[in-house]
Amino acid sequence: MNLGLFGGTFNPVHLGHLRAAQELAELLKLDRIVFIPAATPPHKTPSGIVSFEHRLQMLQLAVAGNDVFSLSDVENRRPGKSYSIDTVRHFRNAGDSGLECFFITGQDAFDAITTWHDWKNLLRLCHFVVMTRPGYENRGLHQILPPDVAGRYVYDAAGDVFQEPHGGSIFFRQTTFLDISSSEVRKRMQQGRSLRYLTPDSVIRYMEANRLYR
């Protein structure tokens, strides 16, 4: 089974998240994508982040009706910071021997991968799927990873993938670019402006009913 793990704050989830996940499922033949909201994001301050329960409920509404999408509250069931390596280990331990985990992240986040907790082991535990921006030029891994780590990867042009013989692969994939950000959704909510076509209508109704981001 090919399992996509899509982590993030999702404060709130929007159509850019959903469309990218749908396209990656098709591009990489992923059987399922699990959206995993962070309980305590290591790289973000808690200011402006609504409760985990609200973010989880909005995700539940957003993924409803898509058989490929599901969500997990695993990071809220662990104490301390929400480290990605602990989440990947959870799914690997819970799956069968044939499980392949694909960790989905944005280009900006992957560019800072060396600041992640236990990042070297994380690269060995799963495949990485990096969502790139329009105009991105694949110039290799040496500008992102230290030479000793980048040197272990071999680029396969046929599959457009960087492969490490004893670890995971790294895919750089461009999806339809929807210039939507959670910060812009929050800003519009604060200003009382329309959110239509930025996030699912069910999420908009939830935010309005619970007076989120006011």
Side-chain angles (χ1 to χ4, degrees):
M1 180 177 182
N2 292 334
L3 183 67
L5 304 177
F6 195 169
T9 311
F10 300 113
N11 185 44
V13 61
H14 55 68
L15 294 182
H17 296 132
L18 301 172
R19 182 60 201 174
Q22 182 66 41
E23 293 187 15
L24 290 174
E26 297 171 0
L27 287 171
L28 298 174
K29 296 180 171 55
L30 304 180
D31 299 294
R32 180 171 294 276
I33 292 183
V34 184
F35 288 78
I36 310 164
T40 309
H43 290 87
K44 293 186 178 181
T45 60
S47 176
I49 301 178
V50 299
S51 72
F52 180 88
E53 289 72 20
H54 280 316
R55 291 181 285 120
L56 186 71
Q57 285 296 319
M58 287 188 285
L59 271 171
Q60 181 71 65
L61 294 168
V63 305
N66 190 323
D67 294 337
V68 177
F69 292 171
S70 64
L71 70 160
S72 171
D73 66 350
V74 61
E75 295 195 351
N76 195 48
R77 290 186 269 121
R78 290 197 311 263
K81 297 205 177 278
S82 302
Y83 292 125
S84 298
I85 191 166
D86 295 330
T87 299
V88 171
R89 282 173 175 152
H90 165 82
F91 283 96
R92 282 175 56 95
N93 293 336
D96 58 37
S97 58
L99 178 70
E100 295 285 342
C101 290
F102 293 74
F103 192 89
I104 300 169
T105 190
Q107 181 181 331
D108 292 344
F110 188 75
D111 285 348
I113 186 69
T114 56
T115 68
W116 293 27
H117 177 68
D118 204 4
W119 64 274
K120 289 184 179 180
N121 282 324
L122 178 59
L123 288 175
R124 296 188 180 100
L125 283 177
C126 63
H127 307 296
F128 260 79
V129 182
V130 183
M131 298 178 289
T132 63
R133 298 180 181 276
Y136 171 79
E137 181 181 351
N138 188 344
R139 290 174 289 181
L141 296 176
H142 290 276
Q143 295 185 3
I144 303 172
L145 303 176
D148 62 316
V149 178
R152 296 202 301 261
Y153 287 85
V154 176
Y155 180 66
D156 175 15
D160 190 18
V161 57
F162 291 91
Q163 296 178 324
E164 204 273 298
H166 305 291
S169 300
I170 300 175
F171 301 82
F172 290 89
R173 292 292 184 270
Q174 182 175 324
T175 57
T176 299
F177 182 61
L178 301 179
D179 193 10
I180 306 172
S181 67
S182 294
S183 60
E184 179 64 21
V185 172
R186 295 194 302 270
K187 180 179 178 181
R188 285 176 171 268
M189 194 68 179
Q190 291 167 354
Q191 296 173 342
R193 299 164 65 190
S194 172
L195 297 178
R196 197 173 188 185
Y197 308 125
L198 294 178
T199 189
D201 289 344
S202 57
V203 174
I204 296 174
R205 289 192 294 269
Y206 183 91
M207 288 190 291
E208 290 175 341
N210 290 275
R211 298 191 59 79
L212 301 184
Y213 310 115
R214 290 295 186 183

